[in-house]
Amino acid sequence: MITFVGCATPANILRYDDSTYPPKPDDFTINILDRDSIDRGVIAQVNDRQTSIKSDSQVMENLRQAARGLGGDALIDLETDTEDVSHDWIPTYQTEYKALVIVYTKDGNS
């Protein structure tokens, strides 16, 4: 089952199942790991967009905060895609960030 969630955090969340995990504290470190070294449970995908009023570091923190709220332990498969959204003569670019949220033990409550 796929559930869309997005109102509670600035990042958009696409849950991969109905499992729930307790949220992590705000000071919990969410690292970005290499998928090749991971054999863990993927619970969701999170994404957010960098714009002229939102910096890259704010976007990364939004992804980490969304992962904490889901009870995630780390992010993997971080991808970026820059899009030209220029209007008339004003050059404008947006970068979308996307990552998968993992938990080290996939034993949440359904």
Side-chain angles (χ1 to χ4, degrees):
M1 173 182 214
I2 296 176
T3 305
F4 290 95
V5 180
C7 297
T9 65
N12 294 312
I13 300 169
L14 172 63
R15 289 184 181 265
Y16 286 169
D17 60 33
D18 290 334
S19 298
T20 58
Y21 301 87
K24 302 289 190 210
D26 287 340
D27 61 351
F28 182 84
T29 301
I30 299 288
N31 292 311
I32 300 169
L33 305 175
D34 180 16
R35 179 186 267 281
D36 295 337
S37 64
I38 304 299
D39 182 24
R40 309 290 189 242
V42 175
I43 61 169
Q45 174 185 302
V46 292
N47 68 336
D48 197 7
R49 195 175 286 265
Q50 176 273 332
T51 64
S52 58
I53 60 171
K54 192 186 309 182
S55 69
D56 293 330
S57 61
Q58 288 172 313
V59 170
M60 290 305 302
E61 182 52 34
N62 287 348
L63 296 181
R64 287 184 169 103
Q65 190 60 38
R68 285 184 200 103
L70 292 168
D73 293 307
L75 296 172
I76 60 170
D77 288 355
L78 178 67
E79 297 177 12
T80 61
D81 182 31
T82 301
E83 177 183 3
D84 182 351
V85 292
S86 300
H87 298 284
D88 298 324
W89 52 272
I90 303 171
T92 307
Y93 298 91
Q94 293 182 343
T95 302
E96 181 166 356
Y97 289 72
K98 177 173 61 173
L100 298 176
V101 179
I102 62 166
V103 290
Y104 292 136
T105 57
K106 197 167 181 190
D107 59 358
N109 301 318
S110 295

